[in-house]
Amino acid sequence: MVILGDSLIELKKIKSNSVDLIFSDPPYFLSNNGISCQNGKMVSVNKGKWDKSNGFKQNVKFHRTWIKECKRILRPSGSIAISGTYHSIYQCGYILQELGFKILNDITWFKPNGAPCLACKNFTASHETIIWACKSESTKHTFNYEKLKKWDVSKDQINHYGKQMRSVWSIPLTPQSEKIHGKHPTQKPLELLKRIIAAASNEGDTILDPFMGSGTTGVAAKILKRNFIGIEMEKTYVDLANKRINTLN
């Protein structure tokens, strides 16, 4: 199910204790008129009004609001995975602990083909962090340990030589083959979402993405035989997500 609307409003309509896994890629609030590099060209970092910061306190308030709703929605055995850069991920991590979640892992998504740093004033940003947390210290969560041991990581040199799935994942940026129906400025690669969903849920479970974008979470959920709820406030991306998901029929 794909919902067109503001997640801060639509999340309140979802039944409590009804979702098994939440993947969230919330705004990083990076649209500050800066520059970045894309396909070897200098481009603006501005992505839309939804990514513009309203100041530190308002950003924290925004994250606290949607994370609080996610805790209500999660089943006792459910878990949440939040993606972000240093601009937002520490705020989300603090709020998770403030609200009583138990942090299980922070996963480093290493981007071997990440964009270079044009300013040359700091280290080249080549990773994002994914915080994985369960609902509380006392709840048991789903983790498909054996499935992840057998996951095909032949191109992931960080994981290739160990039997256990490690917490650093080398996954290239979203390939053009996953953008044939259109693209979103913060689109995540399908491999990343497939790995998260396979690890922390089972067939028939319900997966929620409150900031759905182009629907990669929904595509991965359908491939892995999970139910999906996605929320997106821009109709262009809702249409794109529906097209990507329905193409799998």
Side-chain angles (χ1 to χ4, degrees):
M1 177 173 61
V2 173
I3 301 169
L4 172 62
D6 184 334
S7 63
L8 299 190
I9 297 172
E10 299 301 327
L11 284 171
K12 296 180 183 296
K13 302 176 184 178
I14 299 176
K15 184 180 177 181
S16 298
N17 302 308
S18 63
V19 167
D20 299 283
L21 173 65
I22 297 172
F23 172 78
S24 181
D25 186 27
Y28 299 176
F29 299 119
L30 286 177
S31 294
N32 58 2
N33 300 318
I35 58 172
S36 183
C37 181
Q38 187 176 71
N39 300 322
K41 298 180 181 180
M42 186 182 298
V43 297
S44 170
V45 300
N46 292 348
K47 298 176 177 65
K49 291 182 180 179
W50 52 269
D51 193 50
K52 287 187 177 293
S53 173
N54 291 310
F56 177 78
K57 290 184 178 180
Q58 287 301 311
N59 293 350
V60 170
K61 181 180 179 181
F62 172 83
H63 288 307
R64 183 178 288 111
T65 300
W66 70 261
I67 293 174
K68 186 175 181 179
E69 284 301 314
C70 285
K71 184 169 187 182
R72 177 187 63 78
I73 292 166
L74 274 177
R75 299 188 199 278
S77 59
S79 62
I80 184 170
I82 303 175
S83 177
T85 58
Y86 60 88
H87 308 86
S88 61
I89 199 65
Y90 300 113
Q91 297 171 25
C92 293
Y94 174 86
I95 292 165
L96 284 170
Q97 294 176 89
E98 178 185 62
L99 294 176
F101 284 87
K102 177 184 178 181
I103 293 180
L104 300 166
N105 277 113
D106 60 335
I107 298 164
T108 298
W109 166 31
F110 168 58
K111 308 171 185 178
N113 60 340
C117 175
L118 296 180
C120 302
K121 294 181 180 179
N122 53 301
F123 297 110
T124 301
S126 59
H127 80 281
E128 292 189 28
T129 299
I130 299 163
I131 297 179
W132 180 40
C134 61
K135 197 162 182 176
S136 74
E137 290 280 349
S138 61
T139 55
K140 294 182 179 180
H141 62 281
T142 298
F143 179 52
N144 294 311
Y145 171 79
E146 292 297 334
K147 183 181 291 290
L148 270 291
K149 283 179 66 175
K150 298 173 183 176
W151 197 261
D152 180 10
V153 291
S154 56
K155 296 180 181 179
D156 183 346
Q157 294 302 312
I158 295 169
N159 277 291
H160 185 57
Y161 297 104
K163 290 184 178 180
Q164 293 184 326
M165 176 67 73
R166 303 183 186 188
S167 62
V168 178
W169 299 353
S170 178
I171 301 174
L173 295 170
T174 308
Q176 289 301 315
S177 60
E178 295 177 18
K179 300 177 181 180
I180 58 174
H181 297 294
K183 62 184 180 180
H184 186 277
T186 63
Q187 186 168 329
K188 296 294 182 283
L190 185 57
E191 169 63 18
L192 181 71
L193 271 300
K194 286 173 65 178
R195 200 178 292 192
I196 292 169
I197 291 172
S201 68
N202 298 307
E203 288 190 11
D205 282 356
T206 298
I207 314 300
L208 167 67
D209 187 336
F211 306 98
M212 179 189 65
S214 62
T216 302
T217 306
V219 173
K222 190 164 186 177
I223 290 171
L224 296 174
K225 300 179 181 179
R226 274 69 165 172
N227 301 307
F228 175 66
I229 302 171
I231 303 171
E232 170 56 44
M233 67 188 305
E234 296 195 20
K235 188 177 185 302
T236 298
Y237 298 127
V238 167
D239 292 343
L240 172 56
N242 276 323
K243 186 180 293 185
R244 293 182 68 200
I245 294 167
N246 294 335
T247 299
L248 297 173
N249 288 335

